[in-house]
Amino acid sequence: EVQLQASGGGLAQDGGSLTLSCAASGFFFDDYAIGWFRQAPGREREGVSCINSRDGKTHYTDSVEGRFTISMNNNKNVVTLQMKDLRPGDTAVYYCAALEPLAWGIATMLRQTDYNAWGRGTLVTVSS
């Protein structure tokens, strides 16, 4: 069973930074796309970023391009989302999710219905 654990959320100031982690439990991201999604209060869940476990390719939604960086560790069991220049609009519950088997073209569409395993969310609050 694919289990994911997101962590690292908290409170940040406008312009500040936070780093989120998504850890795999009992398996490795050998043939997955790992995505980060977020859901702000009263809004639908939206895709933020994803990474290809085979070749390290990354993809970002426009609103975070240049501010967020997704990466995977060498053991392929932790995916990190570094968030810089945070804005109040980034406030949301952040979720990591896995898409397996890997289909990169589908993964980059960042549609939550394509991702078949989800971790619990971690709350990020950015104060102005």
Side-chain angles (χ1 to χ4, degrees):
E1 181 185 0
V2 174
Q3 291 189 349
L4 304 171
Q5 180 65 51
S7 62
L11 178 64
Q13 298 288 327
D14 191 354
S17 302
L18 280 174
T19 298
L20 305 182
S21 294
C22 176
S25 177
F27 71 104
F28 298 93
F29 298 135
D30 288 328
D31 190 37
Y32 291 82
I34 303 300
W36 283 98
F37 294 76
R38 65 186 181 185
Q39 187 165 18
R43 301 188 65 176
E44 292 189 356
R45 192 173 298 184
E46 64 169 346
V48 174
S49 179
C50 59
I51 188 166
N52 183 321
S53 68
R54 289 182 198 155
D55 58 18
K57 286 182 180 177
T58 60
H59 176 76
Y60 302 91
T61 193
D62 288 346
S63 63
V64 307
E65 181 83 53
R67 299 189 297 123
F68 291 11
T69 302
I70 191 171
S71 61
M72 183 177 292
N73 68 342
N74 290 334
N75 288 339
K76 292 191 175 183
N77 59 355
V78 178
V79 169
T80 298
L81 186 69
Q82 293 180 301
M83 305 184 295
K84 299 180 180 180
D85 190 23
L86 283 164
R87 305 163 183 170
D90 295 316
T91 295
V93 177
Y94 284 70
Y95 301 86
C96 63
L99 189 159
E100 189 270 333
L102 176 59
W104 186 237
I106 292 175
T108 58
M109 294 181 184
L110 290 172
R111 297 180 303 206
Q112 60 174 322
T113 53
D114 291 325
Y115 284 73
N116 40 28
W118 290 80
R120 290 187 177 182
T122 185
L123 177 62
V124 172
T125 303
V126 184
S127 62
S128 57

